[in-house]
Amino acid sequence: MQLDDKDLFLRHQNTTHGGLPYFYYGLGLSLLSFFFASQGYGQTDQIDQTRKEITLSTESISETRIDLLNSLAEQLYNYDPDSTFFYASIALDLSEKLDYPNGKIDALRNLGGYYNRISNYDSALYFLDLGLEAVKELDYPRGRANLLSTKARTLEDKGYLTSSFEYYLRALKIKEENGLIKELPSTLNNLGLLAYRTNEYEKSLSYFLRARQIREELGLTQNIESLLTNIALVYKEQNRIDEALQLLQESKKAAEESDDTYLLSIVQHNLGLIAYGQGNYTESIELLESALKLDQSMDELYGVTKDLIALARSHLALSNSQIAYGYLQEALKLSVDTDARILHAEIHELISEIYEKRQEWALALTYHKKFKEIHDHIFNLDSASRRKDFEERYKLEREEAAYRQLLKDREQEKDQETAQILRNGIIVLLLIMSLALIISVRSVKIHRQARQQATKQKDELERLYLETTQQKEKIESIARNLEDVNRTKDRLFSIVSHDLRSPINSLNSLMQYTLDENLSQEEFTEISHKLKNEVEHVHFTLLNLLQWAKTQMRGITTDPTHISIEELVGETLDLYRPVAQSKEIKIHNTIDPSISCWADREQVNLIFRNLVNNALKFTHQGGEISLIAEKILPATWKFTVQDSGIGMDEHTVNKLFKADFNNKRYGTAGEKGTGLGLILVKDFVEKNGGELTVESELGVGSRFSFTLPETN
């Protein structure tokens, strides 16, 4: 917990609205405490631990001991301010003896905080200004930020709100620039309190929510209920009552579990105010009486005064003016003891209202005059505060300008020191390089001939190695080419021996039969059709074989031109019409005659022939085949050959485009194939800038689709 940290409900100063004090809607219950209310047992344990470390320290004067003394002074601030002064004074004395500037800065801040704690603001500013002057010469951003935060708090207590806000913002910027992330929530919390005090509720809420986010991201959720209470009370001012009640109930539960009387009294008080604002006056009285008992048990006079005033208002709302008058008389005595001028004014105003309702005009006028006197006095104090505020802002601007100039001067000094070090380094480096050069020259003379000889031998070996490598690569390339040629030869011979031998033998037998037998005209016509089919099959097989062999030997070359798709499809259908008639297969051609594409005519012709041939081969007697064209892009056509044949399973589809000559499929009438047709189709489609896709379902049929560009 930092010494400059505080909570909204603990530090709320008296504000006015429309010239009249609205304190019962305020958040403040104490003008004295600057820390989270729920320090609890964890803070006490930390104090005991720090004391133990100081006791165990063997060195009477050391930086570690000074840091521990400053830490203990800060921790005792909320519990025993006199001890804060005691330990901070010792830390200051030891820091000066040891010449430990960081310890001195922290000690001065603790002393400033002590005087702020006892409301001696001028002394507080004296020590804080000493610290700010000393820290200018140091690279100690945390110390500077803490001094600025503590001074901001002191200026706030004096009523210099604008200057306080600027000091807080300066502290926040230093913490952000130097990565002091864990210390950001405290400054954000203070900024939220200050924004709340000036009725800037949206700004206040943004600071609180950012503080909450950082604490949750860092896992610093212990004692976060105080921050949640701050957020809840801003919600209350924004009339977001349900959200405010939810957070207050969470804080109440945490306070009850940790036996945190202070936080519980605050929550109960503000729950009572919300109940009052909702018109639930009986509930408001019960909650405020609970808060009153808690504050009385802690002898928290300011909190007791606030509770009494709020109870008086609730009873006035229920027309219990006599009870309200009793609470106000008790509060009036306490407000004098605590020197709470604004509360004092509020009490006089409420008593005046009571006498006015009783029609006791003289007493009503007396108390109203007293209220005006106090109110005007406060206004005069505020005017003086605004003048002082301006002076402090001017002082801050001068200090910041001086600090920036100091940083600039330091940077210049560092640059000069760096330049001097660089110059010295260059001189030393030049001397070393000179010595190394002399040694190197002598060494070069001694080893030059040996190095030249070694270089010559190395070059010769590299030349021989390069020649050997090139010859090896050439031989390996020739071997690979020979292997490819040999594989192509084997495939050609395999196809010729297996796929051409049978149809040629069949053709030879038919021709011999026509020569040996005395055939009738009908028999001759039938045999002629068979001969024609056999010849076309052999021709188609040879055409595929030659095209494939050419692609294997020389690769695929295309000669694209504008071609008429109708013309190619017509040639293919004319070629296979006898086959379709023999199997009673209906072919539906829906391709628009006007379609043209930019592609190699012969390759596209072979694509259609192979796809129609396959469809006829694997379609049953009486089946159907469809040729379809559709435009899928502005310059791309998609062509589909669809059949109602035997179809394929996924395994067969995956093997379609692999040159496997051992696994062949026969057509529905026992037709044979080489297995090269679809491989050529795929290669030709892709070479012409298209894409081939296959969809098939076993027993339903297949659908082969490919795309071609319409233009170049």
Side-chain angles (χ1 to χ4, degrees):
M1 176 56 61
Q2 292 196 17
L3 182 144
D4 61 286
D5 200 7
K6 56 190 174 61
D7 267 343
L8 179 55
F9 52 77
L10 299 180
R11 292 290 305 136
H12 177 63
Q13 296 290 332
N14 300 313
T15 60
T16 62
H17 180 72
L20 297 176
Y22 279 5
F23 311 111
Y24 51 92
Y25 289 122
L27 310 178
L29 291 183
S30 171
L31 290 171
L32 302 178
S33 177
F34 300 97
F35 287 109
F36 287 100
S38 42
Q39 294 299 309
Y41 302 111
Q43 184 73 11
T44 304
D45 293 340
Q46 188 177 2
I47 292 171
D48 293 339
Q49 179 64 28
T50 307
R51 280 177 169 155
K52 183 178 179 181
E53 290 178 12
I54 293 174
T55 303
L56 294 175
S57 176
T58 56
E59 299 175 307
S60 58
I61 301 179
S62 68
E63 292 182 0
T64 301
R65 187 177 183 84
I66 293 170
D67 289 339
L68 287 171
L69 288 168
N70 275 319
S71 176
L72 182 59
E74 184 175 329
Q75 293 163 15
L76 288 167
Y77 177 86
N78 198 43
Y79 299 95
D80 187 359
D82 291 337
S83 294
T84 294
F85 177 82
F86 174 74
Y87 288 113
S89 299
I90 295 176
L92 179 61
D93 182 58
L94 294 178
S95 296
E96 291 177 342
K97 289 180 179 178
L98 191 61
D99 192 20
Y100 178 37
N102 288 9
K104 179 180 178 180
I105 298 303
D106 291 339
L108 289 171
R109 180 176 67 94
N110 282 327
L111 287 171
Y114 160 75
Y115 281 110
N116 181 288
R117 180 72 168 81
I118 63 173
S119 302
N120 189 341
Y121 302 124
D122 291 336
S123 296
L125 290 174
Y126 170 77
F127 283 102
L128 293 171
D129 286 339
L130 283 179
L132 287 169
E133 186 65 29
V135 82
K136 289 180 182 178
E137 307 296 329
L138 306 175
D139 183 17
Y140 187 27
R142 175 182 279 104
R144 176 172 169 78
N146 290 338
L147 282 165
L148 288 170
S149 293
T150 307
K151 184 170 182 178
R153 189 194 67 215
T154 305
L155 292 173
E156 179 186 355
D157 292 342
K158 293 193 71 173
Y160 307 158
L161 302 186
T162 304
S163 297
S164 174
F165 193 77
E166 292 183 0
Y167 274 96
Y168 277 135
L169 285 178
R170 173 60 59 182
L172 182 68
K173 182 178 180 182
I174 292 173
K175 291 178 180 181
E176 289 176 336
E177 290 176 347
N178 292 275
L180 305 175
I181 307 300
K182 289 185 178 181
E183 300 182 17
L184 288 177
S186 63
T187 305
L188 289 167
N189 188 62
N190 294 340
L191 283 166
L193 304 178
L194 199 52
Y196 181 91
R197 186 172 176 182
T198 55
N199 300 327
E200 299 175 273
Y201 300 124
E202 283 298 328
K203 183 185 292 187
S204 174
L205 184 60
S206 68
Y207 286 127
F208 288 144
L209 292 178
R210 187 182 171 198
R212 179 183 182 181
Q213 179 185 357
I214 294 173
R215 290 192 64 179
E216 290 176 346
E217 288 176 353
L218 297 177
L220 304 175
T221 55
Q222 186 179 6
N223 300 329
I224 200 173
E225 293 79 19
S226 303
L227 181 57
L228 296 180
T229 303
N230 288 348
I231 296 171
L233 299 179
V234 177
Y235 284 157
K236 185 186 73 173
E237 294 297 332
Q238 294 178 327
N239 204 29
R240 296 162 64 176
I241 302 301
D242 291 340
E243 295 172 89
L245 286 173
Q246 180 181 350
L247 290 178
L248 285 172
Q249 291 296 342
E250 291 178 14
S251 297
K252 179 179 178 181
K253 181 179 179 182
E256 289 174 342
E257 290 176 353
S258 62
D259 197 22
D260 190 335
T261 305
Y262 206 95
L263 177 59
L264 184 59
S265 71
I266 293 162
V267 172
Q268 292 289 82
H269 179 90
N270 285 284
L271 286 172
L273 297 184
I274 291 176
Y276 176 88
Q278 293 177 324
N280 300 326
Y281 304 121
T282 303
E283 180 185 354
S284 172
I285 290 171
E286 291 177 0
L287 291 166
L288 291 170
E289 286 178 346
S290 172
L292 178 62
K293 290 179 181 178
L294 293 170
D295 286 325
Q296 287 174 337
S297 69
M298 296 182 293
D299 199 22
E300 180 57 51
L301 300 183
Y302 187 79
V304 170
T305 306
K306 295 288 288 183
D307 294 332
L308 291 170
I309 295 173
L311 280 166
R313 287 191 179 276
S314 294
H315 279 288
L316 278 175
L318 293 174
S319 299
N320 299 328
S321 59
Q322 191 61 36
I323 298 175
Y325 182 80
Y327 281 129
L328 290 172
Q329 287 296 330
E330 186 177 353
L332 183 60
K333 180 179 181 303
L334 289 174
S335 68
V336 173
D337 294 340
T338 58
D339 195 27
R341 295 185 184 90
I342 298 182
L343 295 183
H344 200 56
E346 182 180 6
I347 295 167
H348 280 83
E349 182 188 25
L350 288 173
I351 293 175
S352 174
E353 290 177 8
I354 291 174
Y355 280 123
E356 186 176 343
K357 288 179 181 179
R358 294 177 181 177
Q359 297 185 353
E360 298 181 33
W361 309 112
L363 289 173
L365 181 60
T366 299
Y367 277 96
H368 184 73
K369 286 181 177 180
K370 185 62 176 176
F371 159 71
K372 288 294 293 180
E373 289 176 7
I374 299 171
H375 184 271
D376 292 343
H377 178 66
I378 293 171
F379 178 79
N380 292 333
L381 289 177
D382 288 343
S383 298
S385 295
R386 282 192 289 271
R387 288 194 298 273
K388 290 290 186 180
D389 197 6
F390 178 79
E391 293 172 2
E392 281 295 332
R393 289 176 60 193
Y394 177 68
K395 180 180 178 182
L396 175 61
E397 291 172 0
R398 285 189 305 165
E399 289 178 349
E400 287 301 317
Y403 183 67
R404 285 193 296 271
Q405 184 61 43
L406 179 63
L407 291 179
K408 184 177 179 181
D409 294 342
R410 283 186 190 169
E411 194 65 32
Q412 290 177 348
E413 291 177 2
K414 287 183 179 179
D415 290 342
Q416 292 174 357
E417 292 176 359
T418 303
Q420 184 61 42
I421 292 172
L422 185 61
R423 284 194 294 270
N424 294 339
I426 291 173
I427 293 172
V428 172
L429 182 61
L430 288 174
L431 291 173
I432 294 173
M433 289 177 65
S434 300
L435 181 61
L437 181 62
I438 294 171
I439 296 172
S440 296
V441 169
R442 294 187 63 186
S443 177
V444 167
K445 289 180 180 179
I446 295 171
H447 297 289
R448 180 178 297 168
Q449 292 181 348
R451 187 167 58 252
Q452 290 176 346
Q453 184 66 25
T455 301
K456 188 175 181 180
Q457 292 175 352
K458 177 185 175 185
D459 292 342
E460 181 65 20
L461 289 173
E462 287 179 350
R463 184 185 64 78
L464 292 174
Y465 175 75
L466 181 61
E467 290 179 357
T468 304
T469 302
Q470 291 174 345
Q471 291 176 358
K472 178 183 176 184
E473 291 176 351
K474 187 175 181 181
I475 292 170
E476 289 176 348
S477 176
I478 294 171
R480 286 193 296 271
N481 292 335
L482 288 174
E483 287 177 0
D484 292 340
V485 171
N486 192 50
R487 280 195 297 270
T488 304
K489 177 208 58 168
D490 291 343
R491 290 174 183 171
L492 285 170
F493 287 162
S494 173
I495 293 168
V496 170
S497 62
H498 290 85
D499 295 287
L500 292 180
R501 181 175 60 189
S502 179
I504 290 174
N505 287 340
S506 176
L507 179 61
N508 184 51
S509 298
L510 285 171
M511 294 180 67
Q512 187 65 39
Y513 181 72
T514 58
L515 292 174
D516 294 342
E517 300 294 333
N518 186 14
L519 303 175
S520 65
Q521 183 63 34
E522 183 180 351
E523 289 174 333
F524 182 78
T525 301
E526 182 181 353
I527 288 178
S528 295
H529 283 305
K530 291 183 179 180
L531 283 171
K532 183 176 183 297
N533 291 337
E534 290 293 338
V535 169
E536 288 176 350
H537 175 68
V538 171
H539 176 264
F540 183 67
T541 302
L542 281 172
L543 182 61
N544 278 344
L545 183 61
L546 289 173
Q547 287 288 350
W548 177 79
K550 186 168 68 174
T551 62
Q552 294 294 305
M553 299 296 291
R554 294 180 301 177
I556 301 174
T557 58
T558 60
D559 184 18
T561 59
H562 282 290
I563 59 173
S564 171
I565 299 300
E566 180 196 24
E567 182 181 339
L568 296 180
V569 172
E571 292 177 4
T572 300
L573 295 182
D574 289 341
L575 178 64
Y576 288 108
R577 187 170 285 109
V579 179
Q581 290 173 350
S582 68
K583 296 183 73 171
E584 298 180 356
I585 295 173
K586 294 180 180 179
I587 299 179
H588 305 286
N589 178 20
T590 63
I591 296 177
D592 191 327
S594 64
I595 295 175
S596 65
C597 291
W598 179 264
D600 188 299
R601 189 182 191 285
E602 293 304 320
Q603 291 175 0
V604 175
N605 186 24
L606 195 61
I607 291 169
F608 275 110
R609 289 181 63 182
N610 272 287
L611 293 179
V612 172
N613 180 65
N614 269 10
L616 289 167
K617 185 188 301 183
F618 295 106
T619 300
H620 293 289
Q621 190 87 7
E624 292 185 355
I625 296 173
S626 299
L627 279 71
I628 307 166
E630 56 179 322
K631 204 166 191 177
I632 59 174
L633 290 173
T636 302
W637 284 96
K638 178 180 179 182
F639 303 98
T640 301
V641 178
Q642 180 175 319
D643 63 63
S644 60
I646 61 176
M648 298 173 284
D649 57 20
E650 185 178 354
H651 178 69
T652 304
V653 171
N654 292 335
K655 293 172 58 179
L656 281 179
F657 305 107
K658 298 179 181 178
D660 186 355
F661 304 109
N662 298 319
N663 296 320
K664 300 175 183 176
R665 300 174 74 229
Y666 291 90
T668 57
E671 299 97 330
K672 298 179 181 179
T674 62
L676 294 176
L678 289 177
I679 296 175
L680 286 171
V681 168
K682 185 176 186 297
D683 290 342
F684 287 160
V685 168
E686 292 176 352
K687 200 65 177 178
N688 282 277
E691 181 182 4
L692 178 66
T693 58
V694 183
E695 301 174 37
S696 185
E697 184 176 351
L698 196 62
V700 176
S702 301
R703 181 183 177 95
F704 287 81
S705 301
F706 66 94
T707 59
L708 289 176
E710 184 177 30
T711 59
N712 182 12

